[in-house]
Each structure stands twice: as structure tokens, then as C-alpha cells.
Amino acid sequence: MKRWRLAVSAAVGAALAVFLWSKPWAEWTEAELLPPEQVSAPAVYRADVRIDPHAHTAVGTLSVRFVPGDGQALFHLYPNAFHESADLSGANWEHILGKQRLPGGIRITGVKVDGRPVPVRTLGKTGTILQVPLEGAAGRRTEVEMGFELRVPYNSGRLSYNDHALWLGNWLPILAVQDETGWRLDPYYPMGDPFYSGTANYHLRVTLPDGYSLATSGTESQAVVTRLRPQGKSHYEVDAWNVRDFALVVMDDSYRQTVSRVGETVVRTWWQEGDSEETVALLHDVAVRALRYYGEQFGTYPYREYDVVKTGGFFGGMEYPGIVFVQGDTFTRPNGMGAAVVAHETAHQWFYGLVGSDEVREAWVDESLADYAAMSFLEDERIAADGYIGYRMERGKVSEQYANRGLRVRQPLDRFPDWKSYSDLVYARGAAMWWKLRLEWGKERLHRVLRDYVREHQYKEAGGAELIEAFSRAVGEDAAPFFDYWLGMDLEKRDEAEAWMRSGRPFRIF
């Protein structure tokens, strides 16, 4: 009798587990993501900036309040990667910067710590790191103030300009991350997105000449705008809470905007007169639908504004919190690939933006998730994107050839010899891994785990270890062999990877 009871109990338990896993996705209720302004940020940046679009300069002051962990503060000065003395030769630099270039850089003046001037020095061949002494400041709230003069370089990358716009990505001095390995002073590699940053609150006062518009990582729809008519200028005061960077684009009067709302979020697509009306409508529709889709799948977008902005350049698209840059020619002709670019960059608002990761040592974390999310969106929303999903899956299969060359998905940026290997491994094979899991488990279960991952780590940083832990917890078995096979290119673990994946399949009663 005792054995019978145990058997019945086990059967009931198994049936209950089957029932739970077979519940439709719509019935799962998850807590909404916390609004960014309600979460304490580890640093606060305030800047007063005067931008001259004609001279391609940005001059101003910056203050940063934070609690230092030791007796110094180290800031990235990314614009100095484009200094006159920088070595930007080779195919990888040409891939992102193009052939036509002019140098630029940022000069720091008058640094103070808690109101007292301090001597500073720059590190690296072109001064891409600013070292500020903080004697006796460790463990207490400290303010570092500095003046800066930015000369924007001309190239095809993230920080540049053309006749109608000036786009500033990775332009402000930003605190380097200090983690368990020490200060992260990674250089500006000519590969991937070589940036790693924590969240902070930003308040910027931007002065522009009349006739120019502004799109930023903040909320321009709530900005305080002051017109200085005699001077022919305008002040914009813009806030952004719990973001990993503050990017902006200055646009002349040839720009127009298409505006929609997704819940509490204003979605703006910025384009120019003469652009393809069909393409503009498509790209804006994708931005709106993607923001809504990812919100349903991974947690409601918590920021109040999202800008998709036409820039120059030849980088496809580039993500920043609350704003993405899309290369200019995408807007000028019907192009299904543009839909994939906007879908991918919008997915980064969750994977890189809401959940930060080390884009230098573990580029696969945010890129594979963003690419998979874009593929899922394009598939479920039935948006044609010039065979984007098929292309990624095909390159994901081909990528196994890289194992013979000692290349892995799970390796730092400086280990990739060229952009092709980086794309095939980090994007294609990484996304193919998630797509395989979707086919085996179903979208509902996979997205439930990812949604929990986003909620657990929002406004924080999480790496590959946290992802593996999340999927191990979901299945009840160590997921390491699965990730070792797909990302470590350990092809001998194929059977173990398949076994783990099968053990996590949702069961159905009928």
C-alpha cells in the first residue's frame, strides 16, 4: 500500500509538472520591469555642452558623482582613438571607418576633485585613458569635474558627421568599469563594439544653433527648451536615468520625424526629405512593432523615449540606450535588410541596455541574444527581411569550420582575426544556438527563461556565467555542455549538448 501511494504521488507530481509546462505563454504573468528613475544608479553625470555643427566641435564641462573603490578614478576618452597619431591602418579599421577620414579627439582641461584642482595624466599612446587621483576619497561620495574640448573626427563610424548631421557615440568621458579583475581599460578595438559600462543617471544641458534638432539617449519630449533669440541659439536640458551611455545626434532642418507611441514610450524615426517614403514607413513600423514585441516577450520597455535616427556611416546600425544610429543609405531605397537592422538594434535595448554585459570579453552575450530576438520578431511578425534568418542559420552551420583554426564564439574581441569570422561566430552561430533551442523547446519556454533573466539583472551587468546558470536552473541540469558545444566550439560535446536540450523539452498531456 505504501508503495502504491508513493507511485500515485509521483504520477500526480509528474502530471502537475507536465500541466504547468504546457500552460500557454499568455497565461504566465510576470512582474513589470522597474522604471529606471525608481532605481538607484551608481553614478550621476552632469554636463553643459555647446555644440557647433559647422565646426564639428563640442565644448563644455562635465561632473561625475560616484563612490570610488580606491584612490583613483579612470575614465575612457574614446574619441582619442582617432587622434592624429593613432595607428588606424589595416582592413579591420577600414571596415568600420572607411577610406576617407579626418582625425579628431578630446582634450581635458581643469580637473577638480570635490572642488580642488588636481594633477591628472592620460594613459595609452593616444591618451584614451584619463587617470584622476582621489587621495582619501575611497568609500565616500566624490565629485570629479572637468572641462573638455571635443573635435569630432570624420569617418564612417559611430562618431562623425556629414553635411546635415553630427552623431556622437561614445563621446563623453565615462568611468571605466572596476570589477573583480580590476580596472577595465580595454582599448578601442577595430572589432565589434569594444565598450563595457555600468549604468548612471545623466543630465545634459546642450546648446545648439537655431535650425537644428536633437535626438538623444534621454527624453527630449520632456526636455526644457530655452530659446535665446538674440544669440540665435537654444538650450536643451535633457535627462536619462539608469543608462549605460549617453549618445546624441544633431540634425539640420532637412530632417523630419515620424512619431508613434508604444504604451508609455514615444517612438521617433528621424529621416530626411528625399528619402524613400516606402522605406521610412517600413523602418518606423518595424521600430514600433519590435519595441512592442520585445516588451511582450522580455519585459515592458521602461524608458519613455526611443529614437531611430538616420546618420551617415557604413556600420549598418549602432545601439545606444534610448537611441540607435542607422546608416544613411538604408533610408534611400526599398531594402528588406533595413528591417533586420532596426529589429536587431531595437533588441539591444534589452540585451546590452537593460541587462549590461562585457562586450569586449563576451561579445556573444548581447549580440547573440539581440540577433536571435530579431529573428524571432521577423518570424512571428511575418516581416520579409531578404532571407535574414536563413542566412544566419546557414552561416551558423558553416561556422564549425572555425574550430579547426582555434577560433571560438566565446573569446575576446582581440582574438578575432577579421570581421567575417566575428560575424559568423558571434552573430550567426550564437543566434543559431538560441534558434535551435527555440525549435526544441518552443518559443514560450525559451522566452520565459530569458524574461526571468532580464527581470533579475535589469540595470545591472550579467555575463555568460549568469546565462548558463539561468538555463541550468530552468532544466535542473548543468547547461555547460550545451554552451561548450555551441560557443566553445567543443564539437565532441555534441551528444551531451543534445541530451541536455532534450531533457529540457516541455512535455504535453495531449
Side-chain angles (χ1 to χ4, degrees):
M1 180 69 98
K2 189 173 184 180
R3 290 181 181 175
W4 181 83
R5 286 177 178 169
L6 288 173
V8 170
S9 176
V12 170
L16 179 60
V18 169
F19 172 74
L20 290 175
W21 278 119
S22 61
K23 291 180 69 175
W25 173 248
E27 292 182 32
W28 288 103
T29 57
E30 305 286 356
E32 295 295 331
L33 298 178
L34 295 171
E37 62 269 24
Q38 294 182 11
V39 178
S40 177
V44 177
Y45 291 75
R46 297 181 66 88
D48 190 341
V49 188
R50 301 176 303 282
I51 297 178
D52 185 338
H54 304 289
H56 316 124
T57 59
V59 178
T61 58
L62 173 72
S63 72
V64 188
R65 294 181 181 178
F66 63 105
V67 178
D70 59 25
Q72 63 178 338
L74 294 165
F75 291 83
H76 286 286
L77 304 179
Y78 288 120
N80 283 342
F82 309 104
H83 192 271
E84 288 90 340
S85 60
D87 181 7
L88 305 178
S89 60
N92 290 334
W93 277 117
E94 186 172 310
H95 180 85
I96 58 172
L97 300 182
K99 294 182 178 180
Q100 296 184 338
R101 315 173 198 170
L102 292 173
I106 187 167
R107 188 171 74 91
I108 302 300
T109 60
V111 179
K112 297 180 181 179
V113 174
D114 293 330
R116 297 191 303 273
V118 297
V120 299
R121 63 173 180 158
T122 55
L123 310 176
K125 181 180 178 181
T126 60
T128 53
I129 299 294
L130 176 70
Q131 184 181 43
V132 180
L134 303 176
E135 187 174 348
R140 64 175 177 81
R141 196 157 188 81
T142 301
E143 181 176 30
V144 175
E145 303 169 80
M146 65 185 76
F148 66 89
E149 299 172 0
L150 169 67
R151 180 164 53 96
V152 180
Y154 176 79
N155 54 53
S156 297
R158 310 169 179 95
L159 176 63
S160 189
Y161 58 88
N162 59 22
D163 291 339
H164 301 282
L166 181 147
W167 51 99
L168 306 184
N170 309 102
W171 63 291
L172 275 176
I174 187 172
L175 279 167
V177 170
Q178 189 177 20
D179 60 20
E180 65 278 358
T181 66
W183 286 97
R184 294 295 305 279
L185 307 179
D186 307 286
Y188 199 124
Y189 291 111
M191 186 66 59
D193 301 332
F195 315 114
Y196 181 27
S197 56
T199 55
N201 293 341
Y202 285 82
H203 176 82
L204 262 71
R205 185 172 185 260
V206 180
T207 302
L208 295 176
D210 285 345
Y212 285 86
S213 299
L214 185 67
T216 78
S217 290
T219 51
E220 300 84 65
S221 57
Q222 300 175 13
V224 176
V225 181
T226 304
R227 307 291 183 190
L228 305 176
R229 298 196 181 281
Q231 297 92 335
K233 297 180 179 180
S234 298
H235 294 320
Y236 294 78
E237 296 195 40
V238 187
D239 291 300
W241 293 273
N242 268 302
V243 296
R244 300 185 184 280
D245 206 339
F246 193 101
L248 62 82
V249 182
V250 176
M251 299 158 283
D252 71 11
D253 58 8
S254 68
Y255 272 79
R256 301 291 181 266
Q257 55 179 304
T258 303
V259 185
S260 300
R261 295 190 73 92
V262 175
E264 298 298 317
T265 301
V266 176
V267 181
R268 286 192 174 93
T269 300
W270 295 85
W271 48 277
Q272 285 181 284
E273 292 181 341
D275 287 342
S276 164
E277 293 183 7
E278 177 186 352
T279 300
V280 169
L282 170 65
L283 298 181
H284 182 70
D285 182 59
V286 168
V288 170
R289 291 166 64 183
L291 203 74
R292 181 181 296 115
Y293 176 87
Y294 300 143
E296 293 169 351
Q297 302 299 319
F298 309 124
T300 303
Y301 191 65
Y303 301 103
R304 293 292 178 258
E305 199 162 296
Y306 177 55
D307 292 298
V308 175
V309 189
K310 174 185 178 179
T311 64
F314 298 94
F315 46 76
M318 181 62 198
E319 74 279 1
Y320 293 100
I323 186 172
V324 296
F325 303 169
V326 178
Q327 73 179 49
D329 60 4
T330 303
F331 288 75
T332 59
R333 63 186 188 279
N335 182 354
M337 189 56 69
V341 169
V342 173
H344 176 94
E345 305 307 340
T346 303
H348 271 305
Q349 298 300 306
W350 280 259
F351 304 112
Y352 147 77
L354 278 169
V355 181
S357 57
D358 185 345
E359 297 179 280
V360 177
R361 297 181 184 176
E362 291 189 310
W364 69 270
V365 173
D366 75 300
E367 292 296 357
S368 71
L369 285 171
D371 218 37
Y372 162 73
M375 291 163 61
S376 179
F377 163 73
L378 296 170
E379 174 82 358
D380 291 349
E381 296 291 311
R382 299 180 181 179
I383 296 175
D386 292 353
Y388 186 80
I389 296 174
Y391 173 75
R392 286 299 197 212
M393 295 301 292
E394 179 61 29
R395 297 311 303 173
K397 294 177 183 177
V398 171
S399 64
E400 290 196 356
Q401 66 186 349
Y402 290 106
N404 297 326
R405 296 169 53 187
L407 298 177
R408 308 285 183 262
V409 180
R410 202 161 50 189
Q411 64 184 25
L413 293 180
D414 61 349
R415 290 285 308 279
F416 291 95
D418 50 48
W419 277 87
K420 185 176 184 301
S421 61
Y422 177 78
S423 177
D424 283 348
L425 290 166
V426 172
Y427 288 80
R429 187 167 177 86
M433 175 186 74
W434 298 117
W435 196 260
K436 177 69 172 176
L437 208 52
R438 171 192 171 106
L439 295 177
E440 291 290 332
W441 284 12
K443 178 187 73 176
E444 291 78 10
R445 186 176 188 193
L446 172 58
H447 288 195
R448 179 173 180 264
V449 179
L450 292 176
R451 185 182 178 102
D452 288 344
Y453 167 79
V454 171
R455 189 179 66 250
E456 181 179 356
H457 300 290
Q458 60 181 307
Y459 311 123
K460 296 180 288 188
E461 291 74 55
E466 285 76 16
L467 266 177
I468 294 171
E469 179 185 353
F471 280 86
S472 297
R473 193 166 57 236
V475 174
E477 294 183 19
D478 185 10
F482 177 78
F483 288 89
D484 288 344
Y485 166 70
W486 280 96
L487 307 179
M489 308 298 288
D490 188 346
L491 304 185
E492 294 183 356
K493 290 190 176 180
R494 183 194 300 267
D495 291 343
E496 290 181 70
E498 293 285 337
W500 177 85
M501 190 165 50
R502 286 194 301 271
S503 69
R505 287 174 179 167
F507 296 97
R508 306 279 175 179
I509 297 177
F510 49 84

